[in-house]
Structure formats: C-alpha cells, structure tokens
Amino acid sequence: MLMGEVIVVTSGKGGVGKTTTTANLGAGLASLGSRVCLIDADIGLRNLDVVMGLENRIVYDLVDVTSGNCPFRKALIKDKRFENLYLLPAAQTKDKTAVSPDQMRALCQEIKNEYDYVIVDCPAGIEQGFRNAIAGANQAVVVTTPEVSAVRDADRIIGLLEKEDLREPKLIVNRYRYHMVRHGDMMSIDDIIEILAIDLLGVVPEDEMVVVSTNRGEMVVTNNQSRSGQAYRNIVRRIKGENVPMMDLEEGGFMRKLRRMIGLK
Amino acid sequence: MLDFLNRIFGRESNQSRSVAKERLRLVLVHDRIGVSPQLLQSLKADLIQVITNYMEIDEDALEVTLDSSENQVALVANIPVRRMKRKFQTESA
Ligand SMILES: Nc1ncnc2c1ncn2[C@@H]1O[C@H](COP(=O)(O)OP(=O)(O)O)[C@@H](O)[C@H]1O
Ligand SMILES: [Mg+2]
C-alpha cells in the first residue's frame, strides 16, 4: 500500500498562479513516473479542468464523491497524455459549504493510499474553501507574486497554515520579472524571503508561454524551450527530494539573445 | 533626468522596489500583531524577569502595548517602579 504525500497549493490572494502551479506540478511529477491525483477544491469556480484541457470529460465531481454518490475512482479523469495523472474536478453548481473539512480529510486519506502525490488546488481566501482544501494535507506550498498585496496575503496564509499544524510551508514566487528587479522596480527573491522567513521551493518567471499553453489546455512544464517550463521541472525535482540549484533568473529576454548572437553562450 | 539615470544604472534609492519592501514590512508588523495576541503576554513575562534583576516593579500595573502611527510602530511599556535594588545582578554576574 502506498502512503502518498498530500500537498495543498495555496496563496490567499487570487490570480497569482495556484491553478497553473497545480497543473504543472501534477504533469511534471507524472512525467517522472509518479502516480499523481489532482483535486480541484475550488468549488463553484472550477477551472483546473480547463487549464489541463480535460473539461469535456467530466462526469462526476468532488461533491459527488464526498456526499457518497460515487466512489472516488469512478469520478477521476485520467489524463491521456500522462500515464499516471488523474484529476478529481470541483463541483461547479454547488458552493464551498457542500464539503466539510472532515470529508476532505477522509477523502485525501483514501486517495493517498493509491497515489504518490495528491495535490490540492486551493481557492483564494481564508474562509471555508481554504479550510476544506488544507484539511487533508500534510504539506503546503504557498504561491505568491512579487507584489505587496500578494506577499502580504502569503504571510497571513503561512500563519494560518502553521496554526493548522502544516509546519514549514514552502514558497513559490511566480511571475518574476528579472529586468524589473534589476531596475529596482520589483521586489527581489531575497527581499521576499527575508520578509516571509520561509524556504524557497522555486521561482517561476513571467512567461507568455504559460498563457499560450493554457489557451491550448496544455502544461508548460512539458515545453522544453520555455523558461517557465524549466522552472517547473526544477520545482518538481525538488519536490522529489533532489537538490536542484536555482536557475539563473538573469537569463532570458533581450540580453540573453544578444549574448547568444555575439557568441557569448 | 536623475530618475532616468537611476533607472539606467539600477540604483535603488526611491525606487518602487524599496518602497514596496518598506510598505510590506510595515503592514506585516500590524498584521502579525493581529495574528498572535499571545506575543505581548509572553513579552511581558520576559520583561518582568529581566527588570526585576534591577528594580522592584508593580507587576500588576505593568502595561505593554504596541502603538502604531501611520509610518511607525513603537513598543510602549509603562512600568511602575516600587524601589531600586541596592545590589543588582545580571545574567553574567
Ligand atoms: N508565470 C506566469 N507567466 C505568465 N502568466 C501567468 C504565469 N502564471 C500564471 N499566469 C496567468 O495568470 C492567471 C492566473 O493564474 P491562475 O493559475 O489561474 O491563478 P489562481 O489559481 O491563483 O487564481 C492565468 O491567466 C495564468 O495563465
Ligand atoms: Mg485557481
């Protein structure tokens, strides 16, 4: 019997990249051979399915499972592109109160017997949706962008996670723009880490390829040309326990092209 | 013009990065107070322990608060002293 990790991906603030992160970590872990089940806990605002391109295959959802209408195995959608990747979609027509923390805890307990990783995509906010999403988790990833409001919410979330005994959550800084940091117009990774006092799991650069991939229902982690894909692949290996150095954030953009053009790399 | 030069050379002064960091630092001082009300209680106990090495104080009347104005948070302690100790002892003594 497997005893998988249940990782909740959370942020406080909406729109910072939780769903994108969940999809890419799932695809990345699955492509390295792990058995992965993703749970969309954003009840009423289902969107992990569209980000993954699986929206047309939904029959049952999370609430069908927690309310006992169908066993979880029957509700899982198998991603055909990745051998070991499954999605349990959120209910779209219900609201957050349709699930309780106890139900989520029991569900995660059941699923993690059969998967290496269960990754829960958390809704924004700190209300019941958040409480449900973290209930069954034994690890937490906090996503933020380098903005005052997002980091502030991340700080609040870290406090709440620690209260719920999810100690030592790990941070992903998303939509990092190196040239802005260099020009003194964006907080740096060091600034953010210093303020939040939390371990860094990875940095994902701002990258149009995220949007392009998402438009197609694909995950950028499988795109070998993209820098955000590389960032996600590194994060995936760190989750699997490998010691992967932080990628050179300086690369990318105009200067890299210039250096390549004049043969400096 | 200076602003332009600063941008070119990536100087930090007055730039939005340091403004952001400072605003964030301050807002979190306020936020974190709200999250842990036990902190002041624990600080109070520690303060009493240290101060009683030097003087006798009225522990019940001791007040410790965080005063926040717009751009600063200050720790304010009001500690009524009963009497000074003739011999004081420090940690190292
Ligand atoms: N690294 C990135 N670069 C560019 N766009 C991004 C990046 N990460 C996320 N996005 C975009 O930001 C938006 C919000 O992301 P999403 O994952 O839905 O956030 P959340 O789930 O936290 O609300 C989406 O349109 C997504 O494509
Ligand atoms: Mg989302």
Side-chain angles (χ1 to χ4, degrees):
Chain A
M1 189 164 82
L2 272 166
M3 220 5 188
E5 303 278 353
V6 183
I7 305 172
V8 61
V9 178
T10 177
S11 73
K13 189 168 152 63
V16 298
K18 290 177 295 298
T19 301
T20 307
T21 299
T22 305
N24 280 287
L25 297 190
L29 285 164
S31 64
L32 291 185
S34 298
R35 285 179 59 78
V36 185
C37 178
L38 305 181
I39 302 179
D40 187 349
D42 202 345
I43 298 170
L45 290 170
R46 165 158 97 197
N47 59 35
L48 186 52
D49 56 332
V50 279
V51 168
M52 298 176 70
L54 299 174
E55 67 274 18
N56 293 326
R57 299 180 40 208
I58 297 177
V59 182
Y60 298 105
D61 60 46
L62 176 62
V63 175
D64 291 323
V65 175
T66 52
S67 59
N69 285 345
C70 103
F72 83 84
R73 283 181 208 86
K74 202 167 149 194
L76 294 185
I77 302 167
K78 181 176 168 19
D79 190 314
K80 290 177 180 139
R81 298 158 295 185
F82 304 90
E83 189 56 37
N84 300 308
L85 184 60
Y86 293 81
L87 168 69
L88 178 54
Q92 182 68 336
T93 53
K94 311 271 183 5
D95 71 76
K96 297 176 199 313
T97 56
V99 177
S100 74
D102 281 340
Q103 288 173 331
M104 275 301 280
R105 212 169 285 127
L107 176 66
C108 290
Q109 191 65 40
E110 208 183 339
I111 301 184
K112 80 176 177 192
N113 289 333
E114 297 177 21
Y115 288 84
D116 298 308
Y117 295 96
V118 180
I119 307 181
V120 185
D121 185 15
C122 184
I126 53 174
E127 311 303 329
Q128 171 148 12
F130 168 74
R131 310 230 158 259
N132 286 339
I134 66 170
N138 62 294
Q139 278 186 49
V141 169
V142 176
V143 183
T144 188
T145 58
E147 286 160 282
V148 177
S149 55
V151 177
R152 179 197 197 170
D153 288 0
D155 186 74
R156 185 82 203 281
I157 288 291
I158 292 165
L160 292 172
L161 289 171
E162 286 179 345
K163 259 196 203 149
E164 298 293 322
D165 246 22
L166 279 165
R167 311 252 161 218
E168 301 188 11
K170 304 270 187 291
L171 187 73
I172 292 180
V173 179
N174 188 24
R175 311 196 75 156
Y176 194 73
R177 283 178 262 184
Y178 177 78
H179 68 278
M180 287 191 73
V181 175
R182 206 177 70 97
H183 286 127
D185 276 327
M186 182 174 266
M187 280 188 288
S188 71
I189 299 302
D190 287 346
D191 293 341
I192 297 168
I193 292 297
E194 179 195 324
I195 283 172
L196 292 180
I198 160 178
D199 285 345
L200 184 65
L201 183 58
V203 181
V204 182
E206 171 80 26
D207 187 355
E208 290 176 2
M209 284 314 292
V210 171
V211 181
V212 173
S213 302
T214 308
N215 284 343
R216 300 201 171 109
E218 292 165 2
M219 275 74 86
V220 78
V221 68
T222 59
N223 180 328
N224 288 318
Q225 259 78 57
S226 71
R227 290 173 44 71
S228 54
Q230 182 62 51
Y232 280 123
R233 286 192 293 279
N234 289 351
I235 292 171
V236 162
R237 287 167 57 201
R238 287 184 198 116
I239 290 176
K240 296 202 78 163
E242 262 184 75
N243 197 342
V244 187
M246 287 293 154
M247 83 187 196
D248 190 0
L249 294 160
E250 195 174 338
E251 277 184 344
F254 176 68
M255 285 309 280
R256 185 175 59 156
K257 282 187 200 127
L258 193 70
R259 276 205 300 271
R260 212 192 270 145
M261 240 155 61
I262 57 178
L264 274 175
K265 193 178 157 217
Chain B
M1 183 61 194
L2 196 62
D3 210 42
F4 175 72
L5 284 177
N6 270 337
R7 272 172 176 278
I8 297 237
F9 295 111
R11 290 253 186 77
E12 272 188 43
S13 56
N14 273 331
Q15 293 202 328
S16 68
R17 167 189 174 181
S18 25
V19 177
K21 195 177 171 189
E22 185 53 24
R23 289 176 57 223
L24 183 58
R25 198 188 55 73
L26 208 67
V27 83
L28 289 188
V29 173
H30 292 262
D31 285 1
R32 285 176 185 172
I33 294 165
V35 176
S36 70
Q38 310 97 316
L39 183 143
L40 282 185
Q41 213 44 50
S42 160
L43 172 67
K44 214 163 153 178
D46 285 351
L47 272 179
I48 291 174
Q49 217 189 352
V50 171
I51 293 168
T52 48
N53 287 334
Y54 301 88
M55 55 196 85
E56 223 171 86
I57 58 174
D58 183 355
E59 293 183 17
D60 297 327
L62 178 138
E63 262 178 41
V64 179
T65 49
L66 280 159
D67 257 21
S68 42
S69 64
E70 202 175 302
N71 53 16
Q72 192 191 340
V73 177
L75 178 68
V76 180
N78 186 352
I79 310 168
V81 179
R82 287 227 181 91
R83 90 172 61 90
M84 301 299 290
K85 289 192 173 171
R86 199 179 299 277
K87 282 194 201 144
F88 63 87
Q89 37 182 227
T90 60
E91 212 57 36
S92 52

